[in-house]
Amino acid sequence: MTCNSFSSTAFLESPDSKRIRAQISKAYDEFCLAVKAGRRFEAKGIAILGPTGTGKTEGTMQALESLGMVETIPGDTERPLLKLDLGARATLKSLSSDILEELGWPEMPRSSGQSNWRSSRNYMAELNTKILVLDEIQHVRSTGKQDREDLQDFLKSMVKPSRGRIMPILIGLPVFNEILESDGQLDRRYSKIRMRSLDPAIDLARTIKTLKKISDGAAIELAPSVKTQEFAARLMHAGMYGFGSTCVWSQRGVATALDANASELTIQHFQNVYQQEEDCVPALNPFITDDFETIKIKPQQ
């Protein structure tokens, strides 16, 4: 098993990950029962919202994998799970076009967003698509009144009562909740899972426990320098207080120690890997500088 596998296991056992699995599993069971009954039904959507680095996407994909759902590629005879990563300037038209492209059909010239979406629905029915994941949903333009209403109508169209439904899963930043809450029907039809950030006041011990789980899996001991509350605070800050990103930096530290054939994991391994990854001076390295809380951490890509 790789170091990355132990990091994934640590996240899989986190409270947020367990909540995601439970909610998706419940909604999917209800979805399958309704499909089997062959009747018109209202699909229940799920919105997983949280700050960058909290593990929204990782938790979602782990939950779907536990249901036997795996990502597929254009050309596969069936596409039960479809996942779309939205760009920073997404619009409803580009979203529907991207779904068509992901399904393996090119957009028709001069076609409208509504036309593309209707075509996508037909193709998804042919390919037995059950779940559509839209990641970074907050990128879809919704600045004006008409844009917002169009987006709300689109989201409702995926869950309103009908045959041949799909189960939508939206992943995004907390700000997207404004779109859902501003329409009563929409708010009712999407269950929300809110991911929380790590809090230095209550999560320091949890952070060290997670690091130990990852290091134990890699059969390397923790040195005293990475068992302190101060180190836990540095690690959390490097991960932007997101549990998922904190697991990533834990994994990177352990991998660096393994590459060096070290007998134990020290803060020096984290100092080195952060400098390598971010190409920063010591004053901007949260594992070195005294006033690490003032460093503005860049989101991980």
Side-chain angles (χ1 to χ4, degrees), residues 23-36:
Q23 189 73 279
I24 289 180
S25 179
K26 179 176 180 293
Y28 185 64
D29 285 345
E30 293 174 355
F31 174 85
C32 290
L33 285 172
V35 170
K36 188 175 181 180

Side-chain angles (χ1 to χ4, degrees), residues 22 29 47 126 144 147 171 201 243 248 296:
D29 285 345
E126 291 180 21
D147 284 340
I171 304 174
F243 185 74
V248 170
K296 185 175 181 180

Side-chain angles (χ1 to χ4, degrees), residues 25-62:
S25 179
K26 179 176 180 293
Y28 185 64
D29 285 345
E30 293 174 355
F31 174 85
C32 290
L33 285 172
V35 170
K36 188 175 181 180
R39 56 178 172 78
R40 288 170 57 88
F41 67 96
E42 177 181 291
K44 191 71 174 179
I46 295 176
I48 301 170
L49 307 175
T52 298
T54 48
K56 303 180 295 294
T57 302
E58 176 73 9
T60 299
M61 300 314 291
Q62 284 182 352

Side-chain angles (χ1 to χ4, degrees), residues 28-300:
Y28 185 64
D29 285 345
E30 293 174 355
F31 174 85
C32 290
L33 285 172
V35 170
K36 188 175 181 180
R39 56 178 172 78
R40 288 170 57 88
F41 67 96
E42 177 181 291
K44 191 71 174 179
I46 295 176
I48 301 170
L49 307 175
T52 298
T54 48
K56 303 180 295 294
T57 302
E58 176 73 9
T60 299
M61 300 314 291
Q62 284 182 352
L64 293 172
E65 185 176 342
S66 71
L67 295 173
M69 307 286 278
V70 296
E71 289 190 75
T72 52
I73 60 174
D76 288 344
T77 55
E78 289 200 347
R79 307 287 305 277
L81 169 62
L82 204 67
K83 180 177 180 290
L84 202 66
D85 301 312
L86 305 182
R89 296 184 178 181
T91 63
L92 277 180
K93 189 174 189 300
S94 68
L95 168 58
S96 58
S97 298
D98 288 345
I99 293 175
L100 265 182
E101 183 178 348
E102 178 63 27
L103 288 166
W105 280 276
E107 177 187 8
M108 297 297 292
R110 292 184 292 278
S111 58
S112 66
Q114 288 183 333
S115 175
N116 285 338
W117 176 235
R118 283 194 299 269
S119 297
S120 296
R121 293 299 294 266
N122 292 334
Y123 294 141
M124 283 190 283
E126 291 180 21
L127 294 170
N128 197 30
T129 302
K130 296 181 175 68
I131 295 179
L132 174 63
V133 178
L134 299 178
D135 202 354
E136 304 290 0
I137 187 64
Q138 78 279 351
H139 285 328
V140 180
R141 189 174 64 196
S142 59
T143 51
K145 182 175 182 293
Q146 190 61 54
D147 284 340
R148 177 180 290 246
E149 290 177 353
D150 288 345
L151 176 56
Q152 290 170 335
D153 288 343
F154 169 75
L155 296 175
K156 281 189 283 189
S157 75
M158 289 194 287
V159 293
K160 67 181 181 180
S162 177
R163 290 181 180 272
R165 294 289 84 193
I166 57 171
M167 178 179 145
I169 299 178
L170 314 177
I171 304 174
L173 297 179
V175 66
F176 190 75
N177 192 45
E178 296 176 8
I179 299 294
L180 300 176
E181 284 190 335
S182 59
D183 185 284
Q185 284 187 331
L186 193 59
D187 199 38
R188 176 177 62 82
R189 290 172 173 170
Y190 281 83
S191 299
K192 299 173 192 173
I193 302 172
R194 294 180 174 86
M195 309 283 280
R196 76 172 183 87
S197 296
L198 292 173
D199 185 345
I202 60 176
D203 289 320
L204 294 175
R206 177 189 176 192
T207 299
I208 297 301
K209 183 179 179 181
T210 300
L211 175 61
K212 189 173 188 315
K213 184 184 295 292
I214 295 172
S215 66
D216 284 348
I220 188 168
E221 295 293 324
L222 297 185
S225 61
V226 295
K227 292 181 179 179
T228 68
Q229 290 191 341
E230 179 186 314
F231 173 78
R234 291 176 181 273
L235 181 56
M236 288 166 58
H237 190 77
M240 298 179 63
Y241 302 95
F243 185 74
S245 292
T246 300
C247 283
V248 170
W249 281 112
S250 297
Q251 166 195 315
R252 289 172 176 171
V254 170
T256 300
L258 293 176
D259 287 344
N261 293 317
S263 59
E264 60 181 10
L265 177 65
T266 71
I267 193 172
Q268 184 70 48
H269 295 120
F270 287 90
Q271 293 170 352
N272 292 344
V273 73
Y274 194 89
Q275 194 281 325
Q276 292 166 5
E277 292 285 339
E278 301 299 327
D279 191 24
C280 64
V281 297
L284 295 179
N285 189 322
F287 296 106
I288 296 177
T289 189
D290 290 336
D291 56 346
F292 64 90
E293 297 99 334
T294 65
I295 298 174
K296 185 175 181 180
I297 306 295
K298 295 184 296 182
Q300 297 297 296

